[in-house]
Amino acid sequence: MGRSTKKTKNKLAQSGLDAYEAGDLPLAERYLTRALKLDRGNVIVRLCLADVLERLDDAGEAVHEYCEVLALRPGHEEAVRRLSSLLRRFRVDDVASLNINGLKGAIDTSTPAVQLVVNTALRRLEVTDELAGPLARVRSGEAEDVAAEMLKKGARAVLRNELLLRSLRFAKVSSVAFERLLTAMRKAILLTVPWERMGEDKSLFQFILALIGQCDINEYVWVTSSAERDALSQMRIDKDKLIAGDVREAWTLGLQLLYAPFERSAAAGLSQADVRGIRPKALAGYFETIVERDARAQQISAGIKRLSTPVDVIGQRVARHYEASPYPRWTGLQTAQPGALRRKLGEFFSDPTLAFMDAPFDVLIAGCGTGQHACQAAAGYGDKASLLAIDISLASLTYAQRMAQVLGIDSVAFAQADIMDLKGHDKRYDIIESVGVLHHMADPFAGAEALVEKLKPNGLLFLGLYSQVSRRNIAALHGEVGYPGPDCTDDEARTYRQALMMRGPDEVGHELMRSYDFYALNEFRDLVLNPNEHHLRLDDIDAFLTRAGLTFRGFTIDPPAWQAFAEMFPDDPWPGRLTNWAVLEEARPRTFDAMYRFWCQRA
């Protein structure tokens, strides 16, 4: 590069950065774009340009630039964080232009909101030359033929696709076409691929490992045929041969793990020392990770404090449901900056109301499940907050505590407790959050009243309750002939889910495929097969708030919904009357996306 060109490049970059610092975004975009034409590998310029584009509401181009940064610097923390945040708010239409290496660079176990990145990665893969045609054939009903072709010796392009392999390892597949293809490939591997290929075909072996990881993540939600069940029922494993390094025994175990978790396989009960002898070594390493994880979970479970256990029949039934099906099983977290929730609360409450947050304060997460909400809250509230997160499910709490340890979050204490039995727990809280919990209780409003009793005089309450209007589809499914019910077996749940996938766009249940919860077994059970749930109306909530002496302070809702409310009721100021929100919801049934989430406080 000539000296003059280098000087021009540096001048353009500096002019762009100066405009960026000055807040002149259009000027910054022009200079930074020109600078990148001369120096495509400048990470700082690309990051600044991506931020400029995002702030100018050009989300698609911003995502493109973040992917370019991650192609240059895989795992770049700031780029991953911003990309994840963007993908949470925007759907990218022009996925074909996204850098595949950049998407690879954004996917790993620590990626915040890894599911969102993987969703975009799979959409990008759907338009690649090697997958666009096969997936079109899958949609036409040729999944088994396509799978057979992809598993032939020499047909390794898909088996070696690193973006696909990473996606399978780190987040659930939420694409119907990919699910059908992968389900057919799993079936073909079980029924037609000889075990000798384990040692001679590295690409196939790596693909099977990734597929095992995917089946573990989605909790074995994919449907199985009678031929597969018959083949699996005939499999036997000699544990002595397995731990001595017999490759054929390892192949058989790998096939089992495509259909059931480690603890239900022939390897259940093996120690870390045992699994180290398994060959190939990569399989042994995978098993060792699982054994270590399960051992750690047992230690955590034994150490979780018990404040109370479910006190009524409904509570006990719901507890059994979540013991068997902890929800959700999350691996990544989009955490807010410390103190971000204080700024967010400023949209709902006055500065004097929030003054308690200047000193140490207490937060109760009532019904924390597997801890995702609690960990996000801990990060967002910052160092002054001390959190107690309770749930009736010990399995869920165990998962929550393990993930908090993985993330290094130590400001949350987890305890087993029933919301209706906190009488022996005398502490009062500045903030109580309970999202997606009360509607599973025998009486949601009795549960809410129990929480109000634990609020300090000026305490704040955040609730999430199912909407009767936007969950009419779920209520309709519950009333259908053929609905399997919450006590159905896993195979019955899979079969029912498969039937929903076959419904046409105008049939009830087809729309559930837009939900991420549809693509994992525990989450599907929570979505459609929960043992107890109440769907509530806004007038019921309004009456409860009045009865409980609470003031409604506003929904956490996307700006377009508030804009629609303001247009319909221009004389009703923030936060709007619940009776008017009810009118809007009837006109726009998806306003609340299944759940009302709102803040209130003691009147």
Side-chain angles (χ1 to χ4, degrees):
M1 180 182 295
R3 184 175 299 176
S4 61
T5 303
K6 185 175 181 180
K7 185 176 180 180
T8 301
K9 175 189 69 174
N10 292 338
K11 185 176 180 180
L12 286 170
Q14 190 59 54
S15 297
L17 295 174
D18 289 344
Y20 174 73
E21 291 294 332
D24 189 339
L25 300 182
L27 184 62
E29 180 187 7
R30 288 198 297 273
Y31 276 126
L32 294 173
T33 301
R34 290 171 61 190
L36 283 176
K37 289 180 179 179
L38 297 175
D39 185 9
R40 296 183 57 82
N42 192 317
V43 170
I44 294 175
V45 169
R46 283 201 180 276
L47 262 180
C48 290
L49 178 59
D51 187 45
V52 167
L53 292 166
E54 183 176 351
R55 290 158 66 183
L56 289 172
D57 294 326
D58 193 345
E61 285 302 314
V63 169
H64 176 275
E65 288 301 328
Y66 286 130
C67 286
E68 293 297 324
V69 171
L70 288 160
L72 295 166
R73 299 277 181 86
H76 189 289
E77 186 174 346
E78 182 68 7
V80 168
R81 184 183 67 79
R82 292 187 180 185
L83 175 64
S84 301
S85 178
L86 259 181
L87 293 178
R88 184 178 297 280
R89 293 176 283 130
F90 299 100
R91 175 183 169 88
V92 181
D93 293 324
D94 184 20
V95 291
S97 67
L98 298 182
N99 191 311
I100 285 180
N101 289 325
L103 289 169
K104 284 193 295 187
I107 298 175
D108 61 52
T109 51
S110 63
T111 299
V114 64
Q115 183 66 58
L116 298 171
V117 179
V118 167
N119 293 344
T120 303
L122 292 177
R123 291 177 57 225
R124 176 68 180 88
L125 286 170
E126 286 182 355
V127 297
T128 59
D129 292 340
E130 64 191 62
L131 278 165
L135 287 171
R137 291 175 58 197
V138 168
R139 295 185 187 97
S140 299
E142 301 178 50
E144 294 198 0
D145 291 339
V146 173
E149 292 168 12
M150 287 185 171
L151 290 169
K152 286 179 180 177
K153 284 188 176 181
R156 296 192 176 103
V158 172
L159 301 185
R160 286 178 172 172
N161 189 301
E162 184 59 31
L163 182 57
L164 177 60
L165 295 178
R166 289 195 190 190
S167 297
L168 295 179
R169 291 188 195 110
F170 295 136
K172 61 192 173 191
V173 169
S174 57
S175 158
V176 172
F178 264 112
E179 177 177 329
R180 287 175 175 158
L181 172 61
L182 294 168
T183 303
M185 293 181 76
R186 181 181 68 167
K187 180 180 179 181
I189 289 167
L190 173 67
L191 300 180
T192 66
V193 175
W195 72 268
E196 290 86 356
R197 282 187 66 182
M198 167 77 89
E200 66 188 36
D201 192 336
K202 185 178 179 181
S203 298
L204 175 64
F205 175 64
Q206 292 298 327
F207 178 79
I208 291 174
L209 274 183
L211 198 58
I212 289 172
Q214 173 58 208
C215 293
D216 182 59
I217 289 169
N218 69 39
E219 297 148 353
Y220 303 89
V221 73
W222 297 342
V223 72
T224 56
S225 66
S226 58
E228 290 168 282
R229 289 193 292 273
D230 288 344
L232 290 165
S233 69
Q234 297 172 25
M235 286 184 174
R236 300 292 181 270
I237 291 180
D238 185 320
K239 284 189 178 181
D240 292 335
K241 289 183 178 180
L242 176 68
I243 62 180
D246 188 294
V247 175
R248 184 167 189 170
E249 300 297 320
W251 171 262
T252 305
L253 178 57
L255 294 178
Q256 287 187 352
L257 292 174
L258 288 171
Y259 293 87
F262 184 84
E263 62 268 19
R264 285 168 44 198
S265 74
L270 292 182
S271 67
Q272 283 184 283
D274 290 334
V275 299
R276 289 190 190 113
I278 294 174
R279 292 294 178 270
K281 284 186 176 181
L283 198 59
Y286 175 78
F287 294 152
E288 191 171 359
T289 299
I290 294 176
V291 171
E292 183 179 5
R293 181 190 71 189
D294 292 348
R296 181 62 186 142
Q298 290 179 7
Q299 293 175 353
I300 290 171
S301 178
I304 289 177
K305 187 176 182 180
R306 273 74 162 176
L307 299 178
S308 64
T309 54
V311 298
D312 57 49
V313 173
I314 295 296
Q316 292 166 5
R317 190 179 185 202
V318 171
R320 287 195 297 271
H321 171 84
Y322 287 110
E323 285 295 324
S325 305
Y327 169 89
R329 181 174 175 175
W330 55 285
T331 56
L333 191 69
Q334 182 70 46
T335 57
Q337 295 298 313
L341 287 180
R342 167 71 178 270
R343 294 188 292 275
K344 183 68 177 176
L345 285 175
E347 299 175 13
F348 302 92
F349 304 100
S350 66
D351 286 340
T353 299
L354 299 177
F356 70 88
M357 301 180 79
D358 293 330
F361 62 98
D362 296 306
V363 180
L364 174 65
I365 308 295
C368 67
T370 52
Q372 188 173 34
H373 180 185
C375 289
Q376 285 176 324
Y381 281 125
D383 294 339
K384 289 186 172 66
S386 177
L387 287 81
L388 173 65
I390 62 172
D391 201 87
I392 56 175
S393 165
L394 187 60
S396 297
L397 289 164
T398 299
Y399 192 99
Q401 180 71 76
R402 183 173 66 82
M403 289 304 298
Q405 291 177 357
V406 169
L407 294 168
I409 295 173
D410 56 9
S411 59
V412 185
F414 293 95
Q416 186 178 27
D418 187 338
I419 289 170
M420 296 304 298
D421 188 17
L422 292 173
K423 296 180 178 62
H425 183 66
D426 296 330
K427 192 167 187 175
R428 295 294 185 270
Y429 292 88
D430 298 284
I431 299 174
I432 296 179
E433 300 192 21
S434 186
V435 179
V437 179
L438 299 177
H439 46 240
H440 292 308
M441 298 176 66
D443 183 344
F445 293 130
E449 288 171 354
L451 294 179
V452 172
E453 291 178 4
K454 296 298 176 185
L455 273 178
K456 290 182 180 178
N458 296 315
L460 314 180
L461 181 63
F462 184 60
L463 298 178
L465 300 167
Y466 277 161
S467 159
Q468 184 184 103
V469 173
S470 60
R471 285 182 69 85
R472 285 171 178 160
N473 59 338
I474 301 298
L477 291 177
H478 290 178
E480 286 184 344
V481 175
Y483 175 70
D487 297 322
C488 68
T489 66
D490 285 348
D491 271 336
E492 289 169 338
R494 295 183 189 103
T495 300
Y496 179 62
R497 177 179 174 274
Q498 181 74 3
L500 293 179
M501 291 175 70
M502 301 302 292
R503 294 190 177 189
D506 297 329
E507 295 180 88
V508 174
H510 179 272
E511 73 286 346
L512 295 177
M513 287 186 284
R514 295 196 296 267
S515 169
Y516 295 149
D517 286 353
F518 191 81
Y519 296 93
L521 186 59
N522 289 358
E523 295 172 30
F524 177 73
R525 281 188 172 278
D526 187 79
L527 177 67
V528 179
L529 300 168
N530 200 284
N532 187 70
E533 61 184 50
H534 298 270
H535 302 157
L536 306 173
R537 298 186 63 85
L538 284 173
D539 54 356
D540 299 325
I541 294 172
D542 195 19
F544 162 72
L545 295 179
T546 300
R547 186 169 68 250
L550 296 169
T551 301
F552 172 67
R553 294 309 305 258
F555 292 109
T556 58
I557 199 165
D558 291 335
W562 170 248
Q563 183 178 351
F565 180 86
E567 291 172 356
M568 185 175 287
F569 300 101
D571 298 325
D572 193 357
W574 175 269
R577 290 192 292 272
L578 289 176
T579 50
N580 287 343
W581 278 105
V583 173
L584 176 70
E585 187 182 22
E586 284 293 344
R588 298 163 53 106
R590 299 307 301 174
T591 296
F592 295 99
D593 194 25
M595 191 185 297
Y596 307 117
R597 296 173 175 86
F598 60 94
W599 284 98
C600 51
Q601 68 180 134
R602 287 186 181 275

